[in-house]
Amino acid sequence: MAPRTAIRGLLASVSAVLLLGSAACAGDDTAGDAGDTLEVWTRSAPEPAATYKDIFAAFTAKTGITVNYQPVVEFDQQLQARASSKDLPDVFVADAANLGTYQAQGWLQPIEQASVAGATDIADTAWSSVKGLDGKTYGIPFSRQAFATFIRKDWREKVGLPVPKTWADLTALAKAFAEKDPDGNGKKDTYGMLVPGSAQNGYTVFWGASYLWQGGGDIVTDAGGGKYGVAINSDKSVQAVTWIRDQFCTPGVVQPGALTQTTAQTTHFTDGTAGIYFTGPYNFVPYDQKLTKEKYEVVPAPAGPAGGDVLANGENIYLGAGGKLTDAQKKLADFLITPEAQKLGMVSKTQAVVRLPVNKTLDAAQVTGDQRWSVIQKAYTENGHEFPSALQWVPVRNAAAEGLNKVLADCSGDVKAGLDATAQAVSAALQEQGVLA
């Protein structure tokens, strides 16, 4: 990996706007740090990167601290390379579920929650999600979101069914979309649920965990004292996975090839071949552009036997270990949770990077003028269920995804036996970390 100066040279064009923007703020009373330059990374394609640039430009104008911003698509690989050279970014915004992995590698600076300006404006539940196994805080919440059910409203009205409230309703609607020609083209070429079900990068778990929780099951359970038990083969998990498998094994309910497809390959909802998608609010903008708001609706996930829990996740602000600009790092972290920065992240001409604001003085629906955010906010507040971020979640997730994918692919197999084998793989992943109860 090239040294930091070489990388900054290559990306000078990215940071030039921010550097120039700081020149106008020499009179700011906080400009004592004007000689500092923070290197900041996010996991971002060009559209969200443009929004981050606006946020960092506002920070520079306010503080005089310049930002060398680097949007990185292959984030984890590049971060690993930089860690190997002991040259981590000063600040990075990344997945909340990766906190345990980053902390175990020694990549993060611990944070005193009380020292964070505006800490009391962040809900206690969000703060509890950024603690490591040792009880210390290793991140600052930046953005949160929860999944909801997207439905082709025009299709639902065509087949004459109500908004689904239960699993049975959901299955009935999916069957109707497959059998009753909702697009009116006279062909049997539509499907019910769109599922990115590949085991690659844990997609099977990312989509399926909510249904597992709604059925009363789980992947792991917190046993206390930094230890975790295995729950993927519990009786409730077996029942939930049996229902999930039934969806895959009923013709038309799920699109063909779902268990080999990632989100990049699942365009059926906007292509007009699938009518139900359980997904996140990051799809509002592209779906509005491709379908128009009138053609689809965003509703709470239909409840299972144990309730309506849905996946909640998001991004945290992390301070890279070994950074020499501790005060500047903290000032940027403080700024990113202010109403000013959170609003900039929510209202974007390209793509929002703040979904639900972590600053509880803000209301997403009010800020955006879009009432669909009320559905997401309620889902997060009342039914949000986050993956256990204190442990190293990725290897646990991948072990569960591979086993679950195999079970769902075998319509005549023994679900309990398949989940018992999955439980062994999950146990091994926990054992390797020393956190198996």
Side-chain angles (χ1 to χ4, degrees):
M1 171 59 63
R4 180 180 299 184
T5 53
I7 294 174
R8 287 177 173 165
L10 289 172
L11 294 168
S13 60
V14 174
S15 59
V17 173
L18 301 178
L19 291 167
L20 290 172
S22 68
C25 63
D28 192 292
D29 61 5
T30 59
D33 297 297
D36 295 337
T37 297
L38 286 168
E39 183 181 12
V40 182
W41 283 23
T42 68
R43 185 196 305 275
S44 301
E47 292 81 5
T51 304
Y52 276 115
K53 289 178 185 178
D54 289 341
I55 296 173
F56 297 139
F59 169 72
T60 296
K62 192 176 187 68
T63 65
I65 301 171
T66 57
V67 175
N68 175 11
Y69 170 50
Q70 301 181 27
V72 182
V73 176
E74 298 296 330
F75 188 89
D76 290 322
Q77 296 92 323
Q78 295 298 319
L79 192 65
Q80 177 69 60
R82 287 291 295 269
S84 298
S85 64
K86 301 186 186 302
D87 186 27
L88 287 163
D90 298 307
V91 178
F92 48 102
V93 180
D95 298 346
N98 286 349
L99 182 147
T101 299
Y102 297 156
Q103 188 267 324
Q105 298 292 329
W107 297 353
L108 306 178
Q109 291 187 32
I111 297 164
E112 289 294 334
Q113 181 178 327
S115 72
V116 177
T120 56
D121 288 335
I122 298 178
D124 291 341
T125 52
W127 277 119
S128 66
S129 70
V130 291
K131 293 187 182 300
L133 292 173
D134 59 5
K136 295 180 180 180
T137 298
Y138 286 97
I140 300 172
F142 175 66
S143 172
R144 290 295 184 266
Q145 64 185 359
F147 272 31
T149 301
F150 289 40
I151 299 173
R152 282 295 297 265
K153 182 181 180 182
D154 53 341
W155 286 18
R156 183 180 62 76
E157 292 174 344
K158 175 74 179 298
V159 301
L161 290 176
V163 171
K165 303 293 186 183
T166 66
W167 277 4
D169 295 342
L170 184 65
T171 300
L173 185 62
K175 286 182 177 179
F177 284 171
E179 298 170 356
K180 295 187 177 181
D181 190 25
D183 61 356
N185 69 354
K187 301 177 182 179
K188 196 172 182 180
D189 57 357
T190 53
Y191 303 96
M193 301 180 197
L194 170 60
V195 180
S198 170
Q200 178 184 339
N201 296 327
Y203 278 106
T204 316
V205 163
F206 200 71
W207 175 84
S210 298
Y211 297 110
L212 191 62
W213 297 325
Q214 290 166 16
D218 211 331
I219 298 170
V220 299
T221 55
D222 190 341
K227 300 293 184 179
Y228 291 83
V230 179
I232 190 66
N233 61 337
S234 69
D235 290 345
K236 293 294 185 181
S237 293
V238 171
Q239 293 170 18
V241 172
T242 298
W243 178 84
I244 296 172
R245 189 182 69 170
D246 287 345
Q247 311 314 299
F248 284 87
C249 296
T250 302
V253 168
V254 175
Q255 91 276 10
L259 291 173
T260 62
Q261 295 173 356
T262 68
T263 53
Q265 299 161 313
T266 48
T267 60
H268 306 67
F269 191 78
T270 50
D271 290 347
T273 53
I276 303 169
Y277 192 16
F278 184 61
T279 187
Y282 42 80
N283 277 319
F284 285 172
V285 172
Y287 286 11
D288 288 353
Q289 293 171 347
K290 294 176 182 178
L291 284 175
T292 73
K293 290 182 180 180
E294 292 71 28
K295 288 187 177 180
Y296 75 101
E297 56 196 345
V298 179
V299 304
D309 278 18
V310 295
L311 177 63
N313 62 352
E315 291 76 39
N316 293 334
I317 304 157
Y318 298 111
L319 308 187
K324 306 299 183 183
L325 304 171
T326 305
D327 187 56
Q329 288 173 297
K330 182 180 177 300
K331 284 184 176 180
L332 176 57
D334 290 346
F335 177 75
L336 289 175
I337 62 173
T338 62
E340 178 185 357
Q342 294 267 293
K343 286 180 181 179
L344 284 171
M346 294 166 67
V347 181
S348 168
K349 296 178 181 178
T350 54
Q351 184 174 321
V353 297
V354 174
R355 280 93 188 203
L356 292 176
V358 296
N359 191 306
K360 60 188 180 183
T361 67
L362 299 176
D363 178 87
Q366 185 177 29
V367 172
T368 62
D370 187 341
Q371 288 306 308
R372 292 176 299 182
W373 282 103
S374 296
V375 176
I376 305 300
Q377 181 68 67
K378 186 175 181 180
Y380 178 78
T381 303
E382 298 183 4
N383 296 304
H385 193 140
E386 297 192 38
F387 291 134
S389 59
L391 53 74
Q392 297 180 58
W393 176 244
V394 172
V396 177
R397 177 202 69 192
N398 289 348
E402 290 174 8
L404 186 58
N405 186 278
K406 291 177 182 177
V407 171
L408 299 179
D410 186 356
C411 292
S412 60
D414 185 327
V415 173
K416 180 64 166 67
L419 292 181
D420 283 343
T422 305
Q424 293 180 9
V426 171
S427 294
L430 294 173
Q431 182 69 54
E432 187 171 353
Q433 298 178 41
V435 297
L436 179 64

